[in-house]
């Protein structure tokens, strides 16, 4: 017995030594918890960062050795060592997330189950509708989705906020122009007997990401992310409660859920009912091929049904809404991994839709939402 143990620990020691020496070799130095590799910031060593360095904020680039310009170059999704990032307790949004979990007593013990397409009342209390109301009209055109991430702030896509007048004019209640309306706690906006408790809001401000860019020629978008500031805090309850920002990249999740009130088929009708779809996240290479390079894998990912037999997708009208996963720690909460941005054709598995990676922007969000 003793002999066997000795042999084992000798083996273990050798294994550890070789593991350590392998780590020390500069060619295999992983960083950012296995999602990247330390590389020189050059066009050949790390093209993915080299060419888009100017787009993302400098503090979003992770360095292995800043003085030598060695960056943490993101690995393709399928090559990444999947490590779940634990929450950073110093982050304000992580603290808030813990508090949000206590808003809804009913879900604390029963995990919410995905499945089917119609969302049940109170299932996704973070879902927001963004609509436009013409002056003098009582009807609202619900054109985009969003995610409540704080009682007063909704995360959405930048392209949902395109206006013909200035932002000041758009926000000024006395200026005659279409006005944005946000609705929370809705399920079927054409029904008053559904299991919903809607709350409507005006906007007092909205912030489009400063590097948002749309390519008119191919319809692709970059940094398609924005924040809406509501005119008051939402009343949090079983029907209205925020979702959490991701603690890490969320790259370990290949099964994601998207929800929205968008078109149910290409060139079809909008759905007045909140719908959900389960989607597969595709690897960067597949996204790039299927979308003919109209995607920047550093800041965007793509997802689709993963099968020719399924038409699951997000579509026009779902824009700005979340693609999310169950929170790893809090039963009541979801984590927003991406924001629905654009796609070529709805419901065709060959053409996945593109999502903005939320985790790259959490510092930007935190400054606006929880900053002074
Ligand atoms: C990786 O995860 C550890 C905890 O396991 C954490 O302390 C560390 O900050 C993470 N590293 C990076 C670069 O995010
Ligand atoms: C709105 O909610 C935030 C976050 O919970 C809180 O800090 C703030 O005091 C609230 N504001 C008002 C006016 O109630
Ligand atoms: C909602 O109801 C209105 C009025 O009945 C109708 O015109 C509209 O098409 C409906 N919208 C949806 C998406 O079902």
């Amino acid at each position: 017995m003793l002999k066997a143990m000795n042999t084992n620990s000798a083996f273990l020691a050798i294994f550890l030594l070789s593991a350590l020496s392998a780590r020390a070799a500069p060619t295999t130095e992983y960083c950012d918890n296995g999602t990247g590799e330390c590389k020189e910031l050059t066009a050949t060593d790390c093209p993915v960062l080299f060419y888009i360095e100017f787009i993302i904020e400098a503090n979003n680039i992770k360095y292995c050795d800043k003085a030598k310009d060695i960056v943490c170059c993101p690995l393709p999704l399928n090559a990444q060592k999947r490590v779940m990032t634990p929450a950073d307790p110093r982050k304000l949004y992580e603290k808030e997330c813990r508090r949000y979990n206590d808003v809804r007593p009913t879900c604390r013990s029963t995990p919410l189950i995905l499945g089917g397409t119609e969302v049940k009342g109170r299932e996704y209390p973070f879902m927001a509708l963004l609509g436009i109301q013409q002056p003098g009209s009582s009807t609202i055109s619900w054109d985009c989705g969003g995610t409540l991430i704080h009682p007063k702030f909704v995360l959405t896509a930048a392209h949902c906020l395109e206006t013909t007048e200035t932002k000041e004019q758009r926000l000024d209640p006395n200026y005659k122009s279409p006005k944005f309306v946000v609705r929370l706690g809705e399920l079927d906006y054409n029904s008053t007997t559904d299991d919903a408790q809607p709350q409507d809001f005006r906007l007092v401000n909205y912030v489009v990401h400063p590097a948002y860019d749309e390519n008119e020629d191919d319809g692709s978008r970059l940094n398609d992310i924005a924040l809406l500031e509501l005119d008051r805090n939402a009343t949090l309850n079983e029907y209205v409660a925020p979702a959490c920002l991701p603690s890490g990249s969320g790259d370990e999740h290949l099964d994601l859920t998207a929800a929205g009130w968008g078109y149910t088929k290409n060139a079809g009708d909008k759905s007045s009912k909140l719908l959900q779809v389960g989607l597969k996240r595709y690897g960067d290479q597949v996204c790039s091929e299927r979308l003919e390079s109209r995607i920047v894998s550093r800041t965007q990912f793509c997802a689709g049904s993963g099968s020719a037999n399924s038409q699951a997708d997000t579509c026009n009208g779902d824009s700005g809404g979340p693609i999310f996963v169950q929170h790893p720690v809090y039963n009541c909460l979801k984590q927003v991994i991406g924001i629905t941005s654009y796609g070529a054709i709805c419901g065709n598995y060959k053409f996945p839709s593109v999502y903005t990676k939320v985790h790259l922007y959490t510092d930007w969000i935190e400054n606006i939402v929880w900053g002074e």
Side-chain angles (χ1 to χ4, degrees), residues 99-121:
R99 231 169 40 84
Y100 295 159
N101 194 51
D102 298 331
V103 170
R104 298 183 305 145
T106 59
C107 69
R108 260 183 251 152
S109 50
T110 17
L112 296 169
I113 296 156
L114 298 186
T117 48
E118 267 183 41
V119 173
K120 291 187 283 300

Side-chain angles (χ1 to χ4, degrees), residues 126-131 142-149 153-162 180 182-184 207-208 212 221 223-228 243 245 257-263 274-275 300-301 313-324 335-343 353-358 364-365:
F126 48 84
M127 286 300 300
L129 273 159
L130 175 60
W142 298 111
D143 298 328
C144 271
T147 314
L148 187 70
I149 55 163
F153 286 89
V154 167
L155 185 67
T156 189
H159 79 265
C160 291
L161 294 163
E162 273 156 16
F180 289 120
V182 166
R183 179 171 291 175
L184 301 171
V207 186
V208 169
Y212 166 62
R221 297 171 175 133
N223 304 294
D224 194 9
I225 184 168
L227 287 161
L228 312 173
L245 296 176
T257 303
W261 288 266
Y263 293 78
L274 177 57
L275 302 177
Q300 299 170 315
F301 65 88
D313 195 3
T314 49
C315 216
N316 305 54
D318 292 322
S319 279
I323 184 161
F324 54 89
Q335 276 182 325
V336 200
I337 304 293
I339 300 169
T340 308
S341 183
Y342 60 91
S353 296
V354 178
Y355 301 84
T356 307
K357 290 182 180 176
V358 172
W364 178 76
I365 296 170

